């Protein structure tokens, strides 16, 4: 699509998310509009969604210091041959998996919608290399106990991986959404909910599988690449589990 034909619609759609686009303002390019959508939880119409794409994905070549996201950085994402460890061979499907599973999008974004087109242009703009390798994605299938690690490492991992959504340990202070459980206090109900199962195993299950395997919710799952078993063990020490 030519640049000119991208010019008109973003302004109309952008008016929904900001008050920009006065007569004097230059209409944003599709990529600029895409970046706004990328950073705005209101991309999803669900009132229960508090996540934007940026909640889980960096866009810089390497992840920012102090951040351990469930999702990879999307720098060069368009240049990868496939996504989700080869499970997805179509980029929009890879995006829509997140949109529907984590952002509570009711319908996948249609291929010709202004949102998916703009998101695509933004992802192109952060993919400077012609080719980039596909990234590994290893789901931990069987949930087993992990050796506990150091308290200090656990605190670092908690801050880097969990705190943005869950807030401070024990209080939830600063959490992204009230829907994010207070850790580790949420485990107090586990004897009733999951009788006979050690609390730590339920937490490992949640972190490794997110909402899948019938637990529900919209927290993302952490692959082995996103969180090692050693860091999981340190996290459990920090949470006193
Ligand atoms: C709640 C966290 C979360 C949100 C929100 C989220 N994602 Fe993801 N995304 C993930 C996880 C986890 C993966 C799997 C690991 C990976 O491949 O990065 C993933 C994978 C992807 C991939 C495949 C990357 C690859 O190379 O395998 C793309 C593309 C993607 N997400 C785009 C998006 C876009 C665009 C949005 C916003 C519409 C979004 N995601 C929202 C967590 C999230
Ligand atoms: C992108 C935001 C996000 C991140 C990052 C995140 N969580 Fe969550 N988590 C949630 C939300 C929202 C819920 C409640 C909905 C659900 O269960 O999915 C939740 C629920 C939980 C639960 C409770 C499940 C239950 O209902 O008993 C546990 C345990 C948990 N998270 C642990 C973690 C740990 C440990 C980390 C860091 C490795 C982490 N979470 C990272 C958003 C997040």
């Amino acid at each position: 699509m030519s640049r000119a034909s991208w010019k008109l619609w973003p302004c109309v759609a952008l008016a929904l998310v900001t008050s920009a686009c006065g007569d004097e303002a230059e209409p944003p390019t599709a990529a600029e509009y895409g970046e706004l959508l990328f950073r705005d939880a209101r991309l999803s119409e669900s009132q229960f969604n508090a996540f934007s794409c940026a909640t889980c994905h960096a866009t810089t070549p390497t992840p920012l210091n102090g951040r351990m996201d469930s999702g990879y950085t999307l720098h060069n994402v368009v240049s990868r041959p496939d996504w989700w460890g080869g499970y997805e061979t179509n980029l929009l499907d890879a995006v829509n998996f997140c949109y529907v599973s984590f952002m509570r999008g009711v319908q996948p974004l249609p291929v010709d919608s202004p949102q998916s087109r703009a998101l695509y242009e933004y992802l192109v703009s952060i993919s400077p290399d012609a080719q980039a390798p596909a990234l590994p994605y290893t789901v931990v299938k069987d949930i087993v106990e992990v050796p506990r690690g150091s308290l200090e490492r656990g605190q670092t991992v908690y801050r880097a991986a969990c705190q943005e959504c869950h807030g401070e340990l024990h209080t939830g202070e600063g959490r992204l959404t009230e829907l994010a459980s207070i850790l580790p206090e949420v485990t107090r109900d586990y004897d009733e909910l999951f009788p006979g199962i050690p609390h730590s195993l339920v937490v490992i299950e949640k972190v490794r599988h997110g909402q899948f395997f019938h637990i529900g919710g919209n927290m993302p799952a952490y692959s082995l690449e996103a969180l090692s078993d050693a860091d999981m063990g340190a996290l459990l020490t920090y949470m006193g589990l």
Side-chain angles (χ1 to χ4, degrees), residues 72-109:
Y72 278 118
T73 172
L74 297 184
H75 178 84
N76 270 345
V77 68
V78 177
S79 322
R80 296 175 195 156
D82 55 50
W83 302 275
W84 282 94
Y87 293 113
E88 296 291 357
T89 51
N90 174 290
L91 180 57
L92 183 57
D93 290 346
V95 171
N96 270 326
F97 191 91
C98 298
Y99 182 70
V100 172
S101 314
F102 307 135
M103 298 173 71
R104 300 175 185 269
V106 181
Q107 298 281 329
L109 296 168

Side-chain angles (χ1 to χ4, degrees), residues 162-202:
C162 320
Q163 186 156 320
E164 185 187 355
C165 291
H166 285 278
E168 298 276 350
L169 202 69
H170 300 302
T171 63
E173 203 190 315
R175 64 187 156 160
L176 184 64
T177 155
E178 305 246 305
L179 297 173
S181 331
I182 295 180
L183 300 176
E185 277 64 16
V186 68
T187 60
R188 284 182 184 158
D189 298 336
Y190 283 1
D191 284 335
E192 216 175 296
L193 293 170
F194 310 101
I197 304 176
H199 297 178
S200 54
L201 271 190
V202 181

Side-chain angles (χ1 to χ4, degrees), residues 30-40 59 118-119 122 125-126:
E32 283 164 354
Y33 172 48
E35 179 167 13
L36 285 174
L37 296 179
F38 188 87
R39 301 189 184 285
D40 195 330
T59 57
L119 273 175
Y122 173 60
S125 78
I126 56 169

Side-chain angles (χ1 to χ4, degrees), residues 135-229:
L135 300 175
Y137 181 72
T138 312
V139 176
V140 177
K141 290 216 175 77
D142 301 319
I143 299 307
V144 292
E145 271 300 347
V146 295
R148 299 298 184 266
S150 82
L151 188 75
E152 201 192 356
R153 177 66 192 162
Q155 182 180 55
T156 302
V157 175
Y158 184 85
R159 288 188 175 151
C162 320
Q163 186 156 320
E164 185 187 355
C165 291
H166 285 278
E168 298 276 350
L169 202 69
H170 300 302
T171 63
E173 203 190 315
R175 64 187 156 160
L176 184 64
T177 155
E178 305 246 305
L179 297 173
S181 331
I182 295 180
L183 300 176
E185 277 64 16
V186 68
T187 60
R188 284 182 184 158
D189 298 336
Y190 283 1
D191 284 335
E192 216 175 296
L193 293 170
F194 310 101
I197 304 176
H199 297 178
S200 54
L201 271 190
V202 181
V203 171
I204 299 174
E205 164 67 35
K206 180 69 186 173
V207 174
R208 286 303 184 200
H209 295 155
Q211 62 170 309
F212 306 105
F213 297 88
H214 310 293
I215 284 200
N218 65 333
M219 179 179 140
Y222 285 75
S223 67
L224 210 51
E225 290 80 13
L227 188 77
S228 68
D229 275 341

